[in-house]
Amino acid sequence: MKSFLEHVAEDLLSRYGTNLSRVAVVFPNKRASLFLNEHLARLAQKPLWSPAYITISDLFRSHSKLQVADPILLVCELHRVFTACTGIDETLDHFYGWGQLLLSDFDDLDKNMAPADKVLANLRDIHELDDTSYLTPEQREMIKRFFSNFSEEHNTELKERFLRLWSHIGEIYHAYNQQLAEKQLAYEGALYRQVATDETLEFEYDTYVFIGFNLLQKVEQTLFSRLEKQGKAIFYQDTDEVPPCHINLISAPTENIQARYISEWLDADRINDGRKTAIVLCNEGLLQTVIHCLPENVDKINITTGYPLGQTSIASLINTLINMQVHGYSLRKQTFARRWVESIKRHPYATLMPDDFASQRYTDIQPLLHWLISLTQTIATSKSPIIDSPLDTESLFRMYTLLNRLSGLVDSGVLKVDVITLQRLIVQLISTTSIPFHGEPAEGIQVMGVLETRNLDFDHVLLLSCNEGNMPRGVNDTSFIPYALRKAYGLTTIDYKVSIYEHYFHRLLQRAKDVTILYNNATSDGKTAEMSRFMLQLMVENKIPITFQTLKAGQTPQLHAPQAINKTPEVMSQLQRRFAKDAGGISPTAINTYLRCQLRFFYRYVCELKEPDNTEDDLIDNRLFGNIFHKAAQLVYQYLVATKATITTMAIDDLLKEEVTIERVVDEAIKQEFFHIHDASHPLPPLDGLQLINREVIIKYLRQLLECDRRLAPFSILGLEKPVNITLNNQYIAGIIDRLDSITDPETGLERIRVVDYKTGSRQMKAMPDVAAIFSQEAIKDHSDYFLQTLLYAHIVRNKTPQMVSPCLLFIQHAGSEDYDPTLKIGKEAITDIADYSDEFITLLRQQLDDIYNAQMAFVPTDDQHRCETCPYAALCRG
């Protein structure tokens, strides 16, 4: 069966012979011209003068002295006119979104040559504004953003404000067009209208051949009619309605599965037919996946959609760099948050960037743009093998051009926005920019978007992601001009947009020998994806044989169980080196980690993989909160012992009454632990809301600690943040005691030393049933690790004194009750002297150390799956 363009080629040759030099062929887009030219050359069978090939956009633009301005410039100029005409001091940031919508309305009004004064006057006076129900949610949201006190209960006030605003709309329209014209600029609709109404136009070619135009806008109709009256126009329309012989409809649960089906669909016949085979993407975001799913035996392919700039390496880098500048700066540290910097350092282009890329913060848009341009230029000119493909080179050039364009608008004073809005603009521009593929369009399998199929015919068609929302794509009626007015004055309506896509859909299928259409049937957010309405049409209105199939993933999830890790000589060497005395020895925390999970111990201490810190830099997380409280407790007792060695009830009472000192030590603790400022003369930096709340809680906890200690007074402080150590099994063990004090037991009247460990968590400690339970994995959930650390410190202290030593865990949140006693218990007995338990405790601890250093015992994973849920290394041992 002959294609539409073959029929056109035959007719043109019969009319004009082989001299088509005075003929201009006008297409909706450029793609079809390549195929028509090939048909002409083949059918002529001798040399010929080819016609000129132009698009409809070229035809209009070549007959006007005006130039279509940059889209961002157009909105900026519209904002200027808007503020001048209305006197409303609306910022460009807030105006930008609905400025684009207003510009779209002006463009549509001009392309359909509607009487602007009448349409806009009617819009001002329309009585539909007595009821705002005709507004779409998007329109209401736009108005809400402009009228900050908008609410559903104030429709009358909304109407008054809306009318007051739009009473200037005609003035804005005319002033805007005049201001652009003075600069020899226009938006596309205004340029088209100017050309369509210019009776003095002279046309270069003798004949204009218009091919494949349907559902014309008024400017096109006007220009076509004038050329037709002058005898200079002929028209070719594809009016054949030849339904395909057979259609195969396939549902799939995901987009990726649809793309993977390509390798099965592309059999030998379809591959050999080359350009007669088309893979059409209703969702062009599938392009990258489709490219990767093409079988290796496809040697020729023509991609017409263009590769999205947003899916390139430079786009991800620019996006991350802007996010680092906008969201990643820590006022606390006066540097960029480590997680943002690290994410950039992991980027493929990171090695091509200067080392000081994160040395400066930019709060103004021009320095930020210059920084981004400079980094892009540095990467592009690096001559690195990392930039090894034409796609990399082209994407860098496109990004460099895009950023320079924005910089030029800022330099000229046209673009005045904050950094947040600049980020939105860059994201929007990147998302709408594509990188064209270069090749021989008339050869190989065609991979294209829906719009590129216009006027082309294929024998084999595979239509991917043919869902409602993709086909028709993104049709909506968002506009400031109500539907009734649009309909009355012949403006573009949603019906028109749907009709265009309906035409594209049926035209694409009508000459194909075989058609396969895939759609997504997955359920997302409680909604099931729907097949396109055009597919339903095929099923209902035509008597075409249709086969229904379903694709399934056919994948079995692979379960990965953690594996034990042997203690090889290299591992043992690292273990000894890591916990050597000169490296600080092994800590109780490390021993507790081994008890919790030996694999976690291996990754953390043997491999020395740091646990990721996902905390925002300006937030006080649990770890920081505990550190600040510990520092505040240390400072407050340093203050108390500075004047008298024994802490008395009176001293604590005086301190509790004198609120300033407690607040001062908390502020000093925040300054040191949170802001890392150790200069006593340096003031505390300003705190935000959450930080102030944390400050108040720490002050409350510190007062609660003092109230608890008041009941024990008088007592003596023997040490604060006191380092201690011991050697067992030739292994050096070291740690720090939060507080060492000496009290008189209120029940027995005997003196004893307490090893006090502060805890700011909310969990109440349970007693251990016996000493052996401290080393049991099952008891970890009851925080047996707290016992191990505190008992070990108590044992170390007891070895150096004849006095009784008791281990204490002081949970601040529970310290308010009168009978609160932080002394740890074994069974029901409080440990008033660690000496009673030391022998058994040390024996078990030695056994634990033997296990850690036993080369014959592998590191094995924990049996408790709940611990894996919060383990930062879970992906390593289960991957």
Side-chain angles (χ1 to χ4, degrees), residues 19-120:
N19 187 1
L20 298 168
S21 59
R22 299 298 302 158
V23 174
V25 177
V26 186
F27 281 108
N29 63 353
K30 294 180 179 179
R31 179 64 45 183
S33 62
L34 300 166
F35 289 85
L36 177 62
N37 199 54
E38 194 210 14
H39 290 315
L40 287 171
R42 178 174 52 82
L43 292 172
Q45 296 183 344
K46 60 179 179 179
L48 80 159
W49 288 99
S50 295
Y53 295 106
I54 58 176
T55 64
I56 187 65
S57 177
D58 295 335
L59 178 61
F60 276 98
R61 296 186 188 209
S62 64
H63 287 88
S64 174
K65 295 180 180 179
L66 303 177
Q67 287 190 344
V68 175
D70 182 278
I72 300 174
L73 172 62
L74 287 172
V75 177
C76 293
E77 293 292 344
L78 182 57
H79 173 251
R80 286 185 179 182
V81 173
F82 166 81
T83 53
C85 292
T86 63
I88 300 174
D89 188 20
E90 178 70 2
T91 65
L92 179 58
D93 300 355
H94 291 162
F95 177 85
Y96 200 92
W98 59 276
Q100 290 176 307
L101 188 60
L102 179 58
L103 180 58
S104 175
D105 283 341
F106 286 173
D107 185 77
D108 187 42
L109 186 145
D110 284 331
K111 283 184 177 177
N112 288 285
M113 300 181 70
D117 290 329
K118 289 184 179 180
V119 174
L120 301 179

Side-chain angles (χ1 to χ4, degrees), residues 711-712 714 742-754 804 806 821 823 830-833:
R711 296 191 291 270
L712 292 173
S742 177
I743 68 165
T744 302
D745 193 302
E747 294 185 8
T748 65
L750 299 174
E751 282 193 18
R752 62 184 164 100
I753 295 173
R754 298 190 312 165
M804 296 188 297
S806 61
D821 183 1
T823 307
I831 307 175
T832 55
D833 189 2

Side-chain angles (χ1 to χ4, degrees), residues 219 234 241 273 300 312 356 482 488 497 514 651 675 714 792 812:
V219 286
I234 58 174
E241 293 186 6
D273 279 348
K300 290 185 178 180
T312 62
D356 63 348
K497 296 174 183 177
D514 70 87
F675 290 102
L792 176 59
I812 306 302

